[in-house]
Amino acid sequence: EHKKIAIAVDGPAGAGKSSISKVVANTLGYLYIDTGAMYRAVTWAVLDQDLNPDDQGQVESILPSLELTMEPSDASCKVFIKGRDVTGLIRQQAINDNVSKIASYKAVREYLVERQQAMAQVGGVILDGRDIGSVVLPDAELKIYLTASVEARAKRRWLEVKGTDNEQPLVEIQESVQNRDEMDKNRKESPLVCVEDAIVVDSSNLTFEETVAHILTLVQETIEHE
Ligand code: CDP
Ligand code: CDP
C-alpha cells in the first residue's frame, strides 16, 4: 500500500508544468488539476461577455453567476462555464493577453483557490499553477518549481502552434511569455515565487521524457521518506 501524496508544481509559462503533470498523474493514478485553465476560463467569460478586463469591479461582479466547474479525467482536465465546455477556447492569444491581469484580482483568486482546495481533498493529487506550493497546498508533501530558460520555453510554445490557426512568430511568443511572467512575479496577490521547500527542476536541457522520469523519482523518494 503506497501512501498517496499531494504534489504542487509551480513555475513560469511554457516550462512544461501541465503536460508533464498530466503524464505523472496518469502514471501514478493521481488526479491532475490544471489551475491555469481556471484562470483562463474566467478570462474567456470576461471577454465573451464584452466586459472590460481592466475594470476590476466589473470582472469581480461576474463571479457569483460564473458557474465554473472542472472535469478532471485521465486524458484531460476540462473546464466548463455554465455547463459549456470551454477547454478548447482558452488557448487563444486574446486569452494569453488578458489572463495575467484577471489573475491579479483578489476576489478572482479567492473564488478559484477555494474550488482548487476542495478538489484536492481526495488525496493523490497533482496541481500545477503559480501559487500551488505557496497558497493552494502549503502542506503538499512534494513541491516542484519547474522552470526553463525563456528561449527554451518560447520555442516550445512556438512548436506547439506552428501550422495551426494560432501560429505566431517566435519573437512575438517570447515577448508574450515574458510579459506574462513579469506580471505573475510582480503582482501583489499570490505572486509566482519559488518557495523555500520547493525542489527546482530546470528542464532547459532535458527532454520531455527525462523531465517526467526525474519528477517520478522525486515522487518515489518523497513517498519513501514519508
Ligand atoms: O500554460 P501557461 O503556463 O501558459 O499558463 P497557465 O498555467 O495556463 O496559466 C495562465 C495564467 O493564469 C498565468 O500566466 C497566471 O497569470 C494565471 N495563473 C495564476 O495566477 N495562478 C495559477 N495557479 C495558475 C495560473
Ligand atoms: O504548463 P506549462 O505552460 O508550464 O507548459 P506546457 O504547456 O506543459 O509545455 C509546453 C510545451 O513544452 C509542451 O509542448 C511540452 O511538450 C514541451 N516540453 C518539452 O518539449 N520538453 C520538456 N522538458 C518539457 C516540456
Side-chain angles (χ1 to χ4, degrees), residues 106-121:
K106 189 164 186 251
V108 171
R109 304 204 68 84
E110 285 171 350
Y111 173 87
L112 295 181
V113 168
E114 193 182 304
R115 279 160 181 74
Q116 291 155 12
Q117 289 174 333
M119 288 188 284
Q121 294 273 335

Side-chain angles (χ1 to χ4, degrees), residues 10-15 17-18 34-37 39-40 91 96 99-101 103-104 109 116 128-132 136 157 180-181 184 187 190:
D10 292 298
K17 299 182 300 299
S18 48
D34 180 353
T35 69
Y39 290 92
R40 287 175 178 276
R91 306 281 156 197
N96 292 339
V99 65
S100 289
K101 181 174 294 156
S104 73
R109 304 204 68 84
Q116 291 155 12
D128 90 294
R130 302 294 186 287
D131 62 339
I132 309 302
V136 181
R157 274 293 148 83
R180 210 139 53 80
D181 289 351
D184 292 343
R187 70 182 173 220
S190 315

Side-chain angles (χ1 to χ4, degrees), residues 8-12 17 109 129-136 138 143-147 180-200:
V9 181
D10 292 298
K17 299 182 300 299
R109 304 204 68 84
R130 302 294 186 287
D131 62 339
I132 309 302
S134 57
V135 175
V136 181
K143 298 180 184 179
I144 293 167
Y145 188 83
L146 184 60
T147 188
R180 210 139 53 80
D181 289 351
E182 197 68 19
M183 288 188 74
D184 292 343
K185 286 177 179 170
N186 294 306
R187 70 182 173 220
K188 193 165 143 276
E189 303 295 335
S190 315
L192 168 63
V193 286
C194 177
V195 291
E196 211 178 73
D197 50 346
I199 298 170
V200 178

Side-chain angles (χ1 to χ4, degrees), residues 140-157:
E141 286 88 349
L142 175 60
K143 298 180 184 179
I144 293 167
Y145 188 83
L146 184 60
T147 188
S149 69
V150 69
E151 291 80 12
R153 294 185 285 115
K155 180 128 188 258
R156 289 172 188 170
R157 274 293 148 83

